Amino acid sequence: SPSLPFVILYHSKFHGRSVAQKVNTLVHEFVHVVDRFSDGDASWNYTHNGQSPGGNERSAPYRIGDIAEAFYLQANSQVGLDQL
């Protein structure tokens, strides 16, 4: 939320998700925070259209969140990243 720039809000409807999915969501939201404040101009560069992944899979927040989830899964299993 632009009014709370250093707070990542996590809706209670998502509490039932797996830890891996929560990692994905938190990293996704953190990408938005980094985008907003990293270059000093408070503009949004790494964003996406709407609230669903459809058509946004290649946007930075979704892609980086997916990578974080894959790393979490790999770090907590005996399966290699190439098998995820």
Side-chain angles (χ1 to χ4, degrees):
S1 170
S3 63
L4 300 167
F6 300 107
V7 174
I8 295 176
L9 302 174
Y10 197 82
H11 197 289
S12 61
K13 72 179 181 180
F14 299 124
H15 285 276
R17 290 184 172 181
S18 69
V19 172
Q21 291 170 318
K22 290 176 183 178
V23 166
N24 184 325
T25 300
L26 290 172
V27 170
H28 171 114
E29 296 304 332
F30 189 71
V31 169
H32 288 301
V33 172
V34 170
D35 169 37
R36 176 111 169 125
F37 295 103
S38 65
D39 54 7
D41 70 1
S43 64
W44 298 98
N45 299 308
Y46 305 130
T47 190
H48 48 78
N49 293 322
Q51 298 297 318
S52 71
N56 293 309
E57 298 88 352
R58 296 187 65 173
S59 70
Y62 278 99
R63 191 67 193 113
I64 295 169
D66 288 346
I67 291 167
E69 181 176 349
F71 275 119
Y72 174 85
L73 290 170
Q74 195 277 331
N76 291 282
S77 72
Q78 301 301 317
V79 177
L81 281 175
D82 60 328
Q83 298 173 343
L84 293 176

